[in-house]
Amino acid sequence: RARSVIVSPSIHNIDVFSIVKDEDAAFVNYMHMRGGAVVQCLTLEYRLREEDETLPAELMSMAIQEVRTRFAATYRADRVTEVIVNVMPDVEFSEFDCVMPQRGDKRKLLQISEKNAHQYRDERLKRMEKLNPEQRTTRTLTTLMRDFHLQSLPHHIECFDNSHISGSDAVASCVVFRDGKPSKKDYRHFNIKEAPSGDDYAAMREVIRRRYRRLLEENLTLPQLLVVDGGKGQLSAAIEALEELGLHGTIAAIGMAKQLNEVYFPGDQLPFFIDKNSESLRVIQRLRDEAHRFAITFHRKQRGK
């Protein structure tokens, strides 16, 4: 669905390098342009160790030098005098100049190269996950733990949502994810019995209190992460219910505001924004959608009765 980019045929003998860095690897895409067309393309992968503090500028210099060695004949024939980069190398080359364009056809070329590097990285992850399916689960849980500042991997996550029409037939749902996937046998729905009609905060308090009192009485495992559909008010109500049961600090809790990439943490007045492309956000979005669907379905059933 991306628009095609037609580069000016006046662009001759230009190299393009872009670098994308991960926690454990760096990917450098190389393209060689001749007469407005890409005649050579390659993506290099550099494995990084935890103790390795190689900077992007150093990696860019290494990649340029490696490409020059591999394609020495091309460099001699085409006499490359300009190299487009998204990170300036930490060394200077006498044969050509390195530039970082901000607009125009050369900037479009750099964006294409960056997309190539991202695509190579994504395809590599998919290949590795096919060989080792547990790796994807571990990566997802590790991302969640980092993004939400958790003490341990969230193997067990629960999400709560309320549903009613002008306060009538108030119900709630509890959706359970285990290892990042729905565990539908553990889903639960609740009729609101104690909270006043139309009081979402009281309803949230009641549901969470009933849910975790039951888990404690039956000596069942508690979740590592609790997600409530709502902002500061719903999150505060959930924290009050956890405090009543002595579970505050044992179960981490966050609130999802109407703006999907806004996350509220207990005690914080301002929301924390998650990157819209983050894997954590996709998991939380799926959680909230499931909780909303489950609550709406149960509410329609109760209203029908």
Side-chain angles (χ1 to χ4, degrees), residues 251-285:
I251 302 175
I254 61 172
M256 290 295 299
K258 290 182 179 180
Q259 295 293 331
L260 190 57
N261 60 339
E262 289 185 5
V263 176
Y264 283 91
F265 290 96
D268 286 351
Q269 296 298 318
L270 297 176
F272 173 75
F273 289 90
I274 300 181
D275 181 5
K276 64 180 181 180
N277 296 317
S278 168
E279 194 168 10
S280 298
L281 189 62
R282 289 197 293 271
V283 173
I284 297 301
Q285 179 181 12

Side-chain angles (χ1 to χ4, degrees), residues 1 9 51 58 63 74 77 84 101 110-111 133 135 163 182 197 216 218 224 233 268 282 284 287-288:
R1 292 165 60 183
E51 64 274 12
E58 297 177 47
T74 301
I84 300 171
L110 188 58
Q111 290 172 343
Q135 182 174 348
S163 181
S197 177
L216 290 172
E218 298 181 0
Q224 287 85 35
D268 286 351
R282 289 197 293 271
I284 297 301
L287 253 175
R288 196 170 80 164

Side-chain angles (χ1 to χ4, degrees), residues 3-62:
R3 293 177 59 188
S4 298
V5 177
I6 300 174
V7 181
S8 172
S10 62
I11 296 180
H12 289 281
N13 302 340
I14 286 182
D15 280 353
V16 184
F17 287 86
S18 66
I19 185 169
V20 173
K21 198 165 181 274
D22 257 351
E23 294 179 358
D24 59 346
F27 306 91
V28 181
N29 178 257
Y30 156 73
M31 297 192 309
H32 177 62
M33 305 295 300
R34 182 189 300 154
V38 178
V39 295
Q40 284 178 333
C41 188
L42 174 70
T43 300
L44 305 172
E45 178 180 348
Y46 296 95
R47 304 295 297 172
L48 304 176
R49 296 189 297 265
E50 291 184 4
E51 64 274 12
D52 192 354
E53 297 184 357
T54 306
L55 298 175
E58 297 177 47
L59 292 170
M60 182 63 76
S61 300
M62 291 167 54

